[in-house]
Each structure stands twice: as structure tokens, then as C-alpha cells.
Amino acid sequence: MWAALLPVGRDPGDGGYHRFSWTPAELDCRAWFLDEARRRDMPVERDANGNLFAWWHPEDGARDGAVLTGSHLDSVPGGGAFDGPLGVVSAFAAIDVLRGRGARPARPIAVGAFAEEEGARFGVACLGSRLLSGAIDPARARALTDADGRTFGDVLAANGLDPDAIGPDPGLLSRFACLVELHVEQGRALEEPVGVASAIVPHGRWRFDFAGEGNHAGTTRLEDRRDPMPPFASMVLGARRAAERNGTVATVGKVRVTPGGVNAIASSVTAWLDARGPSDEDVRRTVAEVERAARTAASEHDVAVALAEESYSEVVGFDHALRDRVVKALGGVPVLPTGAGHDAGVLSARLPAAMLFVRNPTGVSHAPAEHADTEDCLAGVEALAAVLDDLAHG
Ligand code: HGY
Ligand code: MN
Ligand code: MN
Ligand code: MN
């Protein structure tokens, strides 16, 4: 199963994955999902938002009280092999383990593959689970554009979905009793193969637009310039300093320079800030300090700057009762918070959710070096099987 998915969307050069949602690589991952479900006689449902669900129905045909598991198949640009797919592969493998033991769940078990979890194409993370749970305005989602200017609505229509049908689906959500997402650890806190999430820290994304004046790099005097690059540089350095001051993390990993000529002063720069931290106040203070650094430099260079909050998630404290039940089913494993956002975090607003983490020996993620040892991945499958077995019988 893993071997079939591994090469999909992988850059043969640096080994990074490029599986932007609804591009050929991610469509191949979706085809893989359908194939794995078919091999297991699991009917697949695609909701209006493009999320996939493969169902294992009990023999009595029960359709409610389902235990949902799974994760996502899309990646960040140059991502690792495990972030997302490990949760989907482990879900199918855990079902194989249960079936191999002759388990007959009293409740349905569904394997989910949530759309656009990384937000790498349309800019909003967990877009599929946010739409499903009503956490984003469908009209705003429809209008989101990718780097080529294609809207999310157009891309959905090109893939057989009705853009006007996207949005919350309380009927579908009501069929789930809970969600358990398995994910590779992102960071390196785990000393044991498997851990359970206690919380997801507050995190968000902000877009900074710097508008200056394009001009000739060689013939324009310094005093005549309205160059957006120095204010952009102040934003980047300001992010690092603000994070150090506030005990948060702030990252500028994506920037778009227009027109992007070596011998042309940029006319505009768009840059994105990712900020996360222990509390809303810490994150908000960090962003405010970055904005101040950007605006101060922008006024010095006669450049306009606009700031837009693209997404924000307050702290997610996972359901204690479910978390404790999962820890008990695993005979006691470490419980730890995470700085990474997940579909389970978004959906925890609508149903009890828990997360299992599989140890990542280097902690590296969102990069080709992301790794989890095979024996830890197998321990993750066994743990997920134990949790699903407990929840689907209880
Ligand atoms: O960005 C995140 O935290 C997650 O990996 N999507
Ligand atoms: Mn990720
Ligand atoms: Mn992920
Ligand atoms: Mn996730």
C-alpha cells in the first residue's frame, strides 16, 4: 500500500513531494485511495467539498455512530512522505488488522481523506474540513485563487463538483460519533513510538501586500525609489525578533515579487506570515509587532502596505474523555501538545476528536527529510487498530 503511494508526486531530484490539491499528483493519490477502498469492499463517498470517505459498515448495516479516522493526501511544496498519507495508509492497515482478527465492529468505521489540508494551492489550511464543519464562508472559499489565478470554485467544477454546493454538511457530520486522526509527529518530543495529542496551539496566516513603484535598477536614484523590498525585508527580520521577544514562532516562507527582474525595482511584493504560539495573546502580539516593523519601513520608503488575516485557529483542546479513553486503550502513552494544525483540530469543533502521533526521530517535517521508522509506523497501525476496535465496540 505504502509502496504504491510513495512515488506519487515525488520530485526525483530532492525527493520532495508536490501534491497540490486537484493537480495530477493529488488526483493520482485520490485514485490510489479509491483503489485501496475497492480492494477492501469499502464504498467511497465524496462530499460536496471534495473530502473522501471510505466506509466499513457493520453487518447489521448500521449507518450512524461511525468512528472516523484518516488524514490528508495533499502536501506542502517540497513536503515529506509521511505528513498526511501516514494517517490514511495506517487507517486502511488498521482495518486490515481488525479484519484479520475477525473483528466485527458494532459501529461503522470510515477512512477520511480531507481536501486541501495544507492550503498549499488555495492558501487556507484544512479547507475541506473547514468547509465541511462550517468554519469558512463558502463564498469566500469559492473565490480563493491559486498561483495561476484559477479559483477554487472553477477547479471544483473541473473535477465534477458543484461549486455552489460546497459548505457545511451537518447531515454527514451527524453520522460520526468521533474522529481519531493518526499523524506523523512534527517536532521531536516523543520518546516512545506513539503518543496522543493534548492540544493544538493557536496559529494563523497573514498576507502582507507591499505596493511600490517599478523602475529601472540602474538609472533610478535612491531618493526617487519606492522600492517594496526593504519593507518586506523589515517584515522578515521583524518576524524573527517578534517571535524571540514573545516566545512564539513566526515564519515567512512564501513571497511573490512582481515583476521579479534582476534589473528592475519591484513594483509590488506579497509575503505571507505564519505565526503560532502558546496563547492567542502571544500570537496576536507577535503579529502586531511584525506589522509595526513592516509599516515603519514602508513609510520610510513611501510604500503602501496592506495586511489581511487569511486564517486563524484558536487553541484546540482535544476532548478529554475521548483522549483519556484512547490513552487507556493504548495502555498509557505520552500525551503532548502540537504546533501543527490538523483536520482533527478543525473538526473537533463539531465532534469529539483525538490524534495519535507516530514518533519522528529527527522532528523534521514539511521537508523531504521527514521520516518515521518502519517499526514505529507499525506500532502506530497497531495502536490505531486497538483504538478503533475499542471505539467501534463501545
Ligand atoms: O501547517 C500545519 O501546521 C499543518 O501541517 N498543515
Ligand atoms: Mn502539514
Ligand atoms: Mn498534516
Ligand atoms: Mn492534519
Side-chain angles (χ1 to χ4, degrees):
M1 194 168 25
W2 187 250
L5 190 58
L6 209 52
V8 178
R10 186 165 187 262
D11 178 329
D14 63 7
Y17 285 84
H18 300 267
R19 294 169 172 164
F20 287 10
S21 53
W22 308 106
T23 63
E26 200 248 4
L27 291 171
D28 286 350
C29 292
R30 286 170 171 268
W32 167 88
F33 182 94
L34 298 180
D35 194 38
E36 291 302 331
R38 195 178 309 119
R39 289 167 194 265
R40 294 168 177 80
D41 294 327
M42 295 174 74
V44 176
E45 185 177 347
R46 183 172 74 166
D47 76 0
N49 304 304
N51 302 306
L52 297 174
F53 301 93
W55 291 87
W56 178 14
H57 292 300
E59 283 154 5
D60 68 3
R63 285 294 185 273
D64 288 331
V67 180
L68 174 59
T69 183
S71 189
H72 62 96
L73 295 169
D74 67 306
S75 76
V76 295
F82 297 82
D83 176 355
L86 183 66
V88 181
V89 169
S90 300
F92 282 124
I95 285 174
D96 293 346
V97 166
L98 293 178
R99 284 179 171 179
R101 291 176 186 157
R104 290 284 176 274
R107 301 160 172 268
I109 295 178
V111 176
F114 296 102
E116 183 69 346
E117 191 272 353
E118 296 293 2
R121 181 170 181 185
F122 294 100
V124 173
C126 299
L127 186 56
S129 52
R130 283 179 195 266
L131 280 164
L132 173 58
S133 58
I136 185 170
D137 172 6
R140 178 182 169 218
R142 257 191 296 279
L144 291 172
T145 56
D146 67 8
D148 300 325
R150 293 193 68 191
T151 68
F152 180 61
D154 289 346
V155 169
L156 286 182
N159 285 281
L161 287 162
D162 173 3
D164 295 326
I166 65 173
D169 188 343
L172 173 57
L173 283 174
S174 68
R175 288 157 55 192
F176 298 121
C178 62
L179 159 62
V180 181
E181 176 178 1
L182 181 144
H183 203 282
V184 64
E185 180 192 12
Q186 295 165 303
R188 50 185 306 184
L190 268 179
E191 301 290 329
E192 296 182 25
V194 175
V196 169
S198 57
I200 297 178
V201 302
H203 61 284
R205 298 182 182 191
W206 289 264
R207 197 185 73 238
F208 284 70
D209 288 295
F210 300 93
E213 182 179 64
N215 211 325
H216 194 294
T219 57
T220 311
R221 298 180 310 168
L222 289 185
E223 58 268 38
D224 296 332
R225 293 181 180 218
R226 296 182 53 230
D227 183 353
M229 288 298 257
F232 159 65
S234 297
M235 169 205 172
V236 176
L237 293 171
R240 179 61 186 237
R241 290 192 191 110
E244 287 164 353
R245 272 196 298 270
N246 293 286
T248 55
V249 286
T251 311
V252 180
K254 180 179 177 180
V255 58
R256 202 164 47 217
V257 180
T258 304
V262 172
N263 56 353
I265 300 170
S267 54
S268 66
V269 174
T270 296
W272 283 265
L273 172 70
D274 177 311
R276 312 188 190 204
S279 76
D280 287 325
E281 296 72 28
D282 297 330
V283 175
R284 295 290 179 192
R285 206 170 32 249
T286 300
V287 176
E289 290 177 18
V290 179
E291 180 180 9
R292 199 162 36 248
R295 290 194 183 284
T296 304
S299 64
E300 286 162 8
H301 290 265
D302 191 12
V303 163
V305 56
L307 169 61
E309 178 175 294
E310 292 203 329
S311 63
Y312 187 72
S313 302
E314 294 179 356
V315 61
V316 166
F318 286 108
D319 180 279
H320 285 196
L322 179 60
R323 182 198 63 196
D324 295 347
R325 181 167 175 177
V326 168
V327 170
K328 185 163 173 267
L330 299 180
V333 291
V335 177
L336 66 164
T338 179
H342 296 283
D343 297 302
V346 170
L347 292 168
S348 68
R350 290 285 176 272
L351 66 152
M355 289 197 76
L356 295 182
F357 291 131
V358 171
R359 177 170 51 187
N360 175 338
T362 66
V364 170
S365 183
H366 284 186
E370 182 182 83
H371 179 73
D373 293 335
T374 303
E375 55 272 18
D376 286 352
C377 293
L378 294 175
V381 169
E382 288 295 336
L384 185 59
V387 167
L388 295 178
D389 199 24
D390 174 57
L391 294 172
H393 282 101

